[in-house]
Amino acid sequence: MRKIDVFDTTLRDGEQTVGVNLNTVEKLEIAKQLERLGVDIMEAGFPASSKGDFEAVQMIAKTIKHSSVTGLARCYQKDIDIAWEALKYSEEPRIHVFLATSPIHMKYKLRKTPEEVIETAVQAVTYAKRLFPHVQWSAEDACRSDWKFLAKVIEKVIEAGATVINIPDTVGYITPKEYGALFTYLRENVKNIDQVKLSAHCHDDLGLAVTNTLAAIEHGALQIEGTINGIGERAGNAAIEEVAVALTIRKDYYQAQTNLNLQEIKRTSDLVSKLTGMMVPANKAVVGANAFAHESGIHQDGVLKEKLTYEIITPEMVGVSSNRIVLGKHSGRHAFKEKALELGFDLTEEKLNAAFSAFKELADKKKEITDDDLFTILTDYQTKRVDEPKYELMSLQVQYGLNHIPTATLLIQTPNGTLVQEAATGSGSVEAIYNTIERMIPGELSLQDYRIHSVGKGRDALAEVYVKVKYNDKPSSGRGVAQDVLEASAKAYLNAVNRCRNHSELSTSPL
Ligand code: KIV
Ligand code: ZN
């Protein structure tokens, strides 16, 4: 079995998903989960792109011990120096430097000749190698590059000290046969290729990212890159969980394996989905809600007789539990803490107490508290910034009646601790709430997108609201959870404002 390194870029390429803005606390939470999942390398961000990205990469590099942490850099000394400042604390400092090699990128974007591109790449790798023991170099848009030229640059950057060479299909253009052939070509035509690992990095514009990644493995890639749930720029990246499960289920064919702990897949997927607001489609492979559901009578009959008739992956393999009813209103703090630990949350005393109060409040109103409910509450409290002054919802009243104008009255606490009350109308209850909030908060605030989703089933299920807003011309996103949809909506809007106030954290990628 060949060992395939997993390079996760959820926090960098994944975070480039339109509308996704994670703050440092959320990134750290995802990084800790990626470590539990067992990724070999995690790309924590692009340190030179913003102060927020720098701080997050540095914090992750200081915290994560069992995965190698890396950061992206352009072929500029300044980018590499900043990356070093962020990554020097990590156990195994590693940098990811990239430069485009396709004719279209060289001519229009870089305005460089092929010779200048080689020179720039070699200079950057040489410089990076003075600081970092591990230097990955990526040929951006490799799959639309001239193969001979690609082989030439790669040979030169290997001479300069690169330890991993990544072949990105930046625009999701290539087909599996071609991608496999490109890996074979490079292995046969770059004379020093044996000194490095070859890495696959695929985008999903034609829906081929996972297939292309597997084709690269068949043709000698020893590292694969991707994101959890396949999130990322445009149509996204290869979904890491799909590649890892395919290698496991078809080890007879691929003869290759990763070090991932597959049982952590579901939790990782849930956490990434919750914190990014990128819902997982029900029919998504491996982690979708219907991935293990059998609807037709013939299938159900088959599965009842023998699971293997229609089930090639078991839910247990990827950590899907049956969303058990776990605690009730008589459960005490000790049982709650134990359950939190079992669900992977090691909260500070302060956060545990706050989460326990929220659980008790919910348990008074909701008949059955499930794993999913607890996961939602605990994620919320784990990623709450306790130290940060913020707008907080104190009370909410909405009047709604058919043929009446909806009116909302809100009381909020402002970041400096004062209480403000206001009311407004709207064409619906949510609009009335949002009009009220817009009156209360100084500055220009407007809603760009609104999504609601229920946690689990049942009429008393928790509501999770995600919003995208513009606040003083800056994009932000927010999340709110409550049993009542209007309360969740109000909380999400305020959360988006609070996140934006700490705007140095919101990364704007220069890519
Ligand atoms: O898709 C891409 O080309 C990238 C590079 C920065 C590696 O993400
Ligand atoms: Zn990419």
Side-chain angles (χ1 to χ4, degrees), residues 12-13 168 170 201 203 237:
R12 199 277 299 167
D13 228 346
T170 304
H201 177 116
H203 281 266
N237 291 55

Side-chain angles (χ1 to χ4, degrees), residues 436-485:
T436 313
I437 292 176
E438 284 162 25
R439 280 191 182 176
M440 299 166 107
I441 291 179
E444 280 292 307
L445 173 63
S446 66
L447 181 69
Q448 307 291 308
D449 193 14
Y450 174 96
R451 269 172 300 138
I452 186 159
H453 132 100
S454 90
V455 177
K457 300 188 178 99
R459 56 208 283 174
D460 59 355
L462 279 175
E464 220 170 8
V465 170
Y466 291 93
V467 293
K468 285 182 189 147
V469 307
K470 263 221 169 112
Y471 182 47
N472 293 332
D473 258 350
K474 291 200 181 74
S476 178
S477 54
R479 188 173 86 248
V481 182
Q483 210 178 15
D484 183 272
V485 295

Side-chain angles (χ1 to χ4, degrees), residues 219-458:
H219 289 84
L222 286 176
Q223 176 176 297
I224 59 111
E225 306 193 1
T227 58
I228 300 301
N229 300 335
I231 64 168
E233 188 108 35
R234 306 183 312 279
N237 291 55
I240 279 183
E241 67 281 2
E242 292 181 23
V243 178
V245 169
L247 291 183
T248 304
I249 298 293
R250 295 307 313 273
K251 54 179 175 292
D252 58 321
Y253 179 76
Y254 290 107
Q255 298 284 312
Q257 64 192 6
T258 69
N259 268 356
L260 291 197
N261 175 2
L262 301 188
Q263 292 191 351
E264 288 291 336
I265 283 181
K266 183 65 168 70
R267 188 182 193 278
T268 316
S269 164
D270 285 349
L271 189 71
V272 168
S273 169
K274 263 191 202 313
L275 295 181
T276 58
M278 297 289 292
M279 308 284 174
V280 174
N283 65 337
K284 158 115 176 42
V286 179
V287 288
N290 293 350
F292 304 101
H294 302 281
E295 177 69 17
S296 93
I298 295 175
H299 287 208
Q300 285 175 349
D301 179 56
V303 170
L304 285 173
K305 287 175 178 150
E306 167 55 62
K307 278 191 172 173
L308 288 175
T309 49
Y310 288 102
E311 213 170 80
I312 60 163
I313 313 166
T314 64
E316 296 76 34
M317 173 189 267
V318 293
V320 173
S321 69
S322 52
N323 191 25
R324 286 164 303 143
I325 299 157
V326 283
L327 297 175
K329 67 176 176 188
H330 299 299
S331 307
R333 193 178 171 285
H334 184 71
F336 181 78
K337 185 176 176 180
E338 288 296 307
K339 189 67 208 175
L341 283 172
E342 190 192 314
L343 290 173
F345 293 91
D346 192 5
L347 288 93
T348 59
E349 278 300 290
E350 193 184 353
K351 286 186 173 181
L352 186 77
N353 290 339
F356 182 60
S357 302
F359 154 72
K360 278 295 198 190
E361 216 176 284
L362 182 66
D364 272 341
K365 296 186 263 172
K366 191 171 186 290
K367 255 199 341 250
E368 298 164 341
I369 308 279
T370 61
D371 271 347
D372 280 354
D373 293 325
L374 284 184
F375 189 80
T376 304
I377 294 175
L378 289 163
T379 305
D380 213 33
Y381 281 88
Q382 177 71 306
T383 54
K384 249 196 180 106
R385 309 196 59 138
V386 274
D387 50 339
E388 191 183 274
K390 51 181 161 298
Y391 289 102
E392 244 176 306
L393 182 68
M394 308 308 283
S395 85
L396 164 69
Q397 194 188 338
V398 178
Q399 277 178 309
Y400 175 82
L402 202 61
N403 298 326
H404 284 82
I405 297 173
T407 310
T409 309
L410 273 83
L411 180 70
I412 61 172
Q413 183 172 310
T414 67
N416 63 21
T418 54
L419 292 173
V420 186
Q421 189 164 24
E422 188 58 89
T425 59
S427 47
S429 303
V430 174
E431 202 201 2
I433 293 170
Y434 287 2
N435 286 342
T436 313
I437 292 176
E438 284 162 25
R439 280 191 182 176
M440 299 166 107
I441 291 179
E444 280 292 307
L445 173 63
S446 66
L447 181 69
Q448 307 291 308
D449 193 14
Y450 174 96
R451 269 172 300 138
I452 186 159
H453 132 100
S454 90
V455 177
K457 300 188 178 99

Side-chain angles (χ1 to χ4, degrees), residues 154-173:
I154 289 173
E155 189 178 312
K156 296 288 177 207
V157 292
I158 296 174
E159 274 170 17
T163 47
V164 176
I165 298 293
N166 183 31
I167 310 297
D169 182 19
T170 304
V171 293
Y173 175 77

